Amino acid sequence: MAEPVSVPKPDLHGSINHVSITVSDLPAAMKFFGPLLKFLGYTVGGIFDDNRTGGRLTFNINESNGTAFNIWQAKPELAAHPFEVYEPGLHHVAFNVQRHEQVDAAFELVRSLGAEILDGPGEFPFGPGGYYAFYFLGPDRLKFEIVHMPLAERNYRQMIDALERGSR
């Protein structure tokens, strides 16, 4: 008799709600992030003024998973400070894609948008069952990654199948 398949249960507890980054020139950065975020399934918001903080930002949400990726305009007195990957703070942000070939498509997109490619696309030893990714620098030399993990894809598909079977 075969072992029952363990299907992860959807749970918001501990999941990422949003990531906010800061850039030196928000309108210029959105020329890069707008197409990338649309490719990744986000609805890209317009730039607006936040009256509570006095800042300017854009709110971008992926409605399929509820994750937001917000981009803020840096304060003028701090906008000239260059980002350094290995200083205390954010190292990089990694975005999942559902299929291996989407990594390659994202690679072509960010390269066409002028990103500096750091590594990949290729296999990396970071995940059980495969980890196909590439790393790049976007506006203000912020580091990003696009990754496909077959194990995560399989678990996600099993969870969706189980939910669909349960709703019948």
Side-chain angles (χ1 to χ4, degrees):
M1 180 177 211
E3 294 272 329
V5 175
S6 173
V7 178
K9 295 181 180 138
D11 191 355
L12 288 176
H13 186 76
S15 64
I16 301 294
N17 179 276
H18 68 274
V19 172
S20 293
I21 64 168
T22 331
V23 295
S24 62
D25 183 341
L26 182 56
M30 288 311 295
K31 290 177 183 171
F32 179 87
F33 286 115
L36 175 61
L37 291 171
K38 284 179 184 175
F39 174 86
L40 294 170
Y42 286 78
T43 299
V44 176
I47 296 172
F48 69 94
D49 294 319
D50 179 10
N51 295 330
R52 297 169 304 106
T53 64
R56 299 187 77 214
L57 74 145
T58 178
F59 176 78
N60 312 285
I61 188 159
N62 185 319
E63 294 177 20
S64 70
N65 62 30
T67 305
F69 187 81
N70 307 322
I71 305 169
W72 289 76
Q73 172 65 52
K75 292 181 178 181
E77 64 273 17
L78 300 174
H81 174 71
F83 173 78
E84 291 293 334
V85 172
Y86 290 98
E87 70 181 15
L90 177 73
H91 185 274
H92 73 279
V93 175
F95 291 98
N96 283 313
V97 292
Q98 293 184 57
R99 294 183 313 279
H100 181 98
E101 55 273 6
Q102 290 173 317
V103 172
D104 296 327
F107 172 80
E108 293 301 329
L109 174 63
V110 301
R111 191 167 63 172
S112 76
L113 293 170
E116 179 183 339
I117 305 302
L118 299 174
D119 203 354
E123 286 291 334
F124 293 88
F126 303 135
Y131 195 99
Y132 187 69
F134 76 97
Y135 300 85
F136 62 95
L137 298 178
D140 293 302
R141 300 187 54 78
L142 297 169
K143 184 177 178 181
F144 296 92
E145 172 186 2
I146 306 291
V147 60
H148 171 252
M149 294 178 64
L151 182 61
E153 176 190 5
R154 188 191 80 221
N155 288 346
Y156 176 79
R157 291 188 191 284
Q158 287 175 346
M159 179 181 66
I160 296 301
D161 290 345
L163 289 170
E164 289 174 351
R165 282 192 306 274
S167 66
R168 289 185 212 150

